[in-house]
Amino acid sequence: MPLAIADRYLTLQRDVHSGEVLARGGDPEAHSILQRTGFIPVVRVHEHYHRLPTGLDKAEEERLATRAVARLRTVRYHVACDAAFETELREAHYLPLGASVAHQGERIRQATTTEEVADALTELTAAHDGVLAALDDVLAATIEFHLSLGGPSDIATAGRLRYLSEGHLDVIRADLAAIRADLADRHKPHPQRSVCSAEVGPNEREASAICGCPPPPLPTTASSPPPPAPTPAGRRR
């Protein structure tokens, strides 16, 4: 699809007007790679791009930009870049931490019973080492860091993070824990999902059958009313 091809294309160049190193284009995966290489997303009404942090010297900017090119090309993005950022190097690509969390969503999409969904949600809601408990710890550490900086804006940031943790994260955690407990108690199969055994029953008449699963229901369509009966032609005079 044209849109998918366009999303695999990026430019990474030094802006001729501001002198900033800017990356434009790409899809969310490319944006994650840029952010993991030190770039900062900039989202405005009419444009979305990434830039390097302020205060870097030219050598550090070129190092980060070159590394971003290498990482993007490793996973087959087409990157048009300045000559200073060109490289033949490629970096090994490893799945990030978020991939294991996203895997729980895929488990839920494929689940055929309430127990399977409850098991996936346990990875989020476990009291000691669940994902949400870890996120709460990260927020607490960030709050402590900003408080130790001591500036007025840092204290305000710490207060904002505490509000998000106590006012929102706690609610999400409590609700998901309750949902997980409810699903664990229900012991029911999903009414529209089933596990294929890949076996053909002894009464299967079709030699080409590869499993005994019943065929999916045909889509129901509203039947059209019959056409009206033709009106008999009047007699000619």
Side-chain angles (χ1 to χ4, degrees), residues 13-100:
Q13 300 167 327
R14 189 178 296 276
D15 186 76
V16 295
H17 302 291
S18 67
E20 294 179 298
V21 177
L22 306 179
R24 299 181 184 275
D27 57 13
E29 181 185 2
H31 299 165
S32 291
I33 292 172
L34 288 168
Q35 291 161 22
R36 292 177 185 279
T37 315
F39 282 74
I40 298 173
V42 179
V43 180
R44 294 177 175 163
V45 175
H46 299 295
E47 58 183 349
H48 180 193
Y49 61 91
H50 288 74
R51 64 169 176 82
L52 284 176
T54 59
L56 302 180
D57 59 33
K58 185 176 181 181
E60 180 64 4
E61 289 180 337
E62 292 184 356
R63 185 187 73 82
L64 292 176
T66 302
R67 190 176 191 188
V69 171
R71 287 180 166 184
L72 289 164
R73 288 178 176 170
T74 295
V75 288
R76 301 184 182 277
Y77 284 96
H78 176 76
V79 185
C81 64
D82 290 349
F85 310 148
E86 277 290 351
T87 178
E88 296 299 322
L89 296 176
R90 300 291 182 268
E91 288 195 22
H93 181 67
Y94 302 100
L95 289 177
L97 178 63
S100 60

Side-chain angles (χ1 to χ4, degrees), residues 22-230:
L22 306 179
R24 299 181 184 275
D27 57 13
E29 181 185 2
H31 299 165
S32 291
I33 292 172
L34 288 168
Q35 291 161 22
R36 292 177 185 279
T37 315
F39 282 74
I40 298 173
V42 179
V43 180
R44 294 177 175 163
V45 175
H46 299 295
E47 58 183 349
H48 180 193
Y49 61 91
H50 288 74
R51 64 169 176 82
L52 284 176
T54 59
L56 302 180
D57 59 33
K58 185 176 181 181
E60 180 64 4
E61 289 180 337
E62 292 184 356
R63 185 187 73 82
L64 292 176
T66 302
R67 190 176 191 188
V69 171
R71 287 180 166 184
L72 289 164
R73 288 178 176 170
T74 295
V75 288
R76 301 184 182 277
Y77 284 96
H78 176 76
V79 185
C81 64
D82 290 349
F85 310 148
E86 277 290 351
T87 178
E88 296 299 322
L89 296 176
R90 300 291 182 268
E91 288 195 22
H93 181 67
Y94 302 100
L95 289 177
L97 178 63
S100 60
V101 180
H103 175 64
Q104 305 311 315
E106 188 59 29
R107 288 179 62 191
I108 293 172
R109 291 187 182 92
Q110 297 179 0
T112 59
T113 67
T114 58
E115 291 94 338
E116 291 174 354
V117 178
D119 187 54
L121 290 179
T122 301
E123 295 298 328
L124 276 72
T125 61
H128 175 64
D129 52 8
V131 172
L132 293 176
L135 177 56
D136 190 40
D137 187 61
V138 170
L139 289 175
T142 308
I143 290 169
E144 294 172 6
F145 180 82
H146 277 81
L147 288 175
S148 65
L149 292 177
S153 63
D154 303 316
I155 295 175
T157 298
R160 174 65 178 172
L161 290 175
R162 183 177 290 110
Y163 164 75
L164 292 175
S165 175
E166 297 175 356
H168 295 274
L169 183 60
D170 284 350
V171 174
I172 293 173
R173 180 168 47 210
D175 282 3
L176 280 180
I179 292 170
R180 179 256 173 193
D182 173 70
L183 290 171
D185 285 337
R186 293 175 69 175
H187 307 290
K188 289 185 177 181
H190 191 285
Q192 298 176 358
R193 300 179 186 177
S194 61
V195 178
C196 178
S197 63
E199 296 179 356
V200 179
N203 297 325
E204 176 60 60
R205 298 172 61 185
E206 298 291 340
S208 61
I210 59 174
C211 71
C213 297
L218 295 174
T220 57
T221 56
S223 58
S224 302

